[in-house]
Amino acid sequence: MGTKVQEIKNKFLKAIEGIKDAKSLEDLRIQYLGRKGEITNLLKHLKDMSLEERRHAGPMIQRLKIETEELLNKKLSDLAKSRGDISEIDITIPGKKITVGHYHPLSIVEKDIRRIFKAMNFSIVDGPEIETEYYNFDALNIPKSHPARDMWDTFWLKQSVPDPRLLLRTHTSPVQIRYMETHEPPFQIIVPGKTFRFEATDASHEIVFHQVEGLMVGKDVSLANFKFVIQEFFKRLFGKNLEVRFRPSYFPFVEPGLEVDLQCVKCGGKGCNICGNSGWLEIMGAGMVHPKVFEAAHYNPREWQGFAFGFGLERIAMIKYNIPDIRLFNSGDLRFINQF
Ligand code: DAH
């Protein structure tokens, strides 16, 4: 029986090697494993054998049957592969794109600002976003029930015990007081940070935005020093010399107080849609620190003097990148974000 099995096997192996298409492969399967196939016949004859013979031949024929089936299946898939029906590597699948993140435009501008002021020997200082009424208003010479408070529409926190009264800081100016309470002059700092206003949003107003506060205090720090610092800052930020103009203005924590205008970055002062044809961009508030502010921080106003300023980060970014609407920054719209 053993030689018979081996014979069939050899014959089959030789035959399958020469097979070139699925049709002849199917014919070969029928020839060996079909109802009247050679291996099927062997199995059928088992019942005519003695028990002894059957024990020996049975497993051998079964093994042949299984091996033959396996070889037929393998050949079938080999034929399919060589026809291009199935391929282990699908070269038509698009490659995996590895997306690399990038900075938000506000982060880019903030980093630039930090770098420029650092290079001018300013320290970068932080303060809390939840502030007390005292630091946000009183210490900055903005008393309760004074109309000046109306300049800052405020989010007040709900408190069961409103002592001290808490709010979301409406500007970064309270950090002036916090810093002076714990540091001795002379110094120069900037305070970039988040600020909050309880007001209607439009193309130039958001309820959450960012400011950069500046404060320089020394024995004889003047507005002339401020003008140099701020002109140098804009020169480095926008990469060109730009005129700066001071106009008298009012902020309770400075005296004199001023509004700083920057020569229009786009038109250079000729007048365009960005500057509303005036040639100037209103860019920040500033002034000489009010004696009352120094007193609140326990500085002697006769001994120290300095300038303070504050501007909106979004406004700078909007000018730098020609962004028409402040609400785009937080829109989460990738068509906007991916441009930077
Ligand atoms: N805190 C002011 C605001 O939010 C901006 C400002 C004006 C800051 C004048 C100053 C300053 O430090 O001197 O509108």
Side-chain angles (χ1 to χ4, degrees):
M1 198 62 198
T3 45
K4 178 92 180 148
V5 166
Q6 197 56 52
E7 242 171 58
I8 294 182
K9 186 172 174 177
N10 289 344
K11 196 154 66 109
F12 172 80
L13 286 175
K14 211 158 177 196
I16 196 165
E17 212 170 297
I19 297 282
K20 294 272 181 300
D21 61 283
K23 172 80 182 67
S24 14
L25 188 69
E26 178 59 10
D27 290 345
L28 188 70
R29 191 187 67 79
I30 292 166
Q31 187 190 333
Y32 284 86
L33 298 171
R35 247 182 330 121
K36 290 177 184 154
E38 295 189 34
I39 296 171
T40 317
N41 282 340
L42 283 183
L43 284 165
K44 272 187 201 159
H45 282 121
L46 274 175
K47 65 175 183 329
D48 307 326
M49 294 176 191
S50 69
L51 194 64
E52 194 59 26
E53 279 178 321
R54 218 185 298 162
R55 264 207 199 119
H56 179 64
M60 216 156 57
I61 303 168
Q62 275 303 339
R63 214 178 307 121
L64 175 66
K65 188 185 172 203
I66 291 167
E67 275 173 17
T68 312
E69 279 168 347
E70 280 172 2
L71 286 167
L72 284 165
N73 286 339
K74 176 158 188 320
K75 184 80 185 186
L76 189 65
S77 79
D78 285 352
L79 286 175
K81 261 184 228 165
S82 66
R83 276 207 319 270
D85 290 1
I86 312 163
S87 165
E88 273 158 20
I89 300 166
D90 182 350
I91 57 164
T92 67
I93 292 177
K96 271 192 194 150
K97 215 181 201 157
I98 298 166
T99 44
V100 177
H102 58 86
Y103 284 112
H104 188 278
L106 285 177
S107 304
I108 298 172
V109 176
E110 193 189 312
K111 271 161 61 91
D112 281 350
I113 293 169
R114 284 169 180 260
R115 180 179 45 77
I116 293 167
F117 276 105
K118 249 188 185 163
M120 293 197 281
N121 210 24
F122 278 65
S123 306
I124 293 156
V125 174
D126 227 352
E129 290 171 4
I130 294 177
E131 234 343 328
T132 63
E133 180 177 24
Y134 172 76
Y135 284 107
N136 197 84
F137 292 128
D138 303 87
L140 289 167
N141 192 32
I142 316 166
K144 284 180 195 55
S145 74
H146 191 281
R149 274 210 190 183
D150 301 342
M151 292 167 78
W152 295 275
D153 301 291
T154 308
F155 283 111
W156 293 93
L157 267 65
K158 274 191 186 150
Q159 295 169 274
S160 47
V161 186
D163 180 30
R165 274 184 91 196
L166 297 175
L167 50 83
L168 296 180
R169 68 176 176 195
T170 59
H171 49 181
T172 41
S173 303
V175 188
Q176 289 189 26
I177 307 289
R178 287 185 177 276
Y179 187 81
M180 287 193 284
E181 279 180 345
T182 51
H183 295 80
E184 289 292 322
F187 64 78
Q188 50 281 326
I189 60 166
I190 59 157
V191 185
K194 209 168 263 174
T195 49
F196 309 82
R197 297 271 172 95
F198 181 43
E199 56 187 14
T201 59
D202 62 30
S204 53
H205 294 85
E206 259 288 18
I207 56 174
V208 181
F209 60 107
H210 299 80
Q211 285 190 341
V212 178
E213 192 80 13
L215 178 65
M216 179 165 185
V217 178
K219 288 275 181 214
D220 49 14
V221 174
S222 71
L223 279 183
N225 299 135
F226 173 58
K227 190 160 193 183
F228 171 79
V229 165
I230 217 62
Q231 215 153 10
E232 189 62 26
F233 163 65
F234 284 129
K235 180 178 163 183
R236 295 187 192 187
L237 186 70
F238 291 110
K240 56 182 166 192
N241 269 320
L242 292 164
E243 284 294 324
V244 165
R245 169 173 96 168
F246 292 169
R247 278 179 296 115
S249 183
Y250 171 70
F251 297 97
F253 30 89
V254 279
E255 183 57 39
L258 19 127
E259 202 79 49
V260 179
D261 293 344
L262 177 67
Q263 182 189 350
C264 182
V265 178
K266 175 95 174 287
C267 66
K270 286 196 274 297
C272 68
N273 60 326
I274 302 271
C275 58
N277 280 321
S278 70
W280 295 95
L281 302 165
E282 288 181 19
I283 207 106
M284 68 173 81
M288 292 301 287
V289 179
H290 197 288
K292 290 218 168 135
V293 172
F294 280 143
E295 277 166 14
H298 308 294
Y299 280 11
N300 180 354
R302 262 175 270 278
E303 195 182 345
W304 301 108
Q305 61 182 46
F307 63 78
F309 61 90
F311 61 84
L313 185 63
E314 280 80 356
R315 174 129 173 86
I316 300 276
M318 287 167 82
I319 293 167
K320 179 147 188 181
Y321 295 119
N322 212 350
I323 297 166
D325 194 316
I326 193 172
R327 290 165 296 192
L328 286 165
F329 289 114
N330 289 331
S331 64
D333 189 335
L334 292 178
R335 292 170 305 177
F336 169 71
I337 295 298
N338 284 340
Q339 293 178 61
F340 300 92

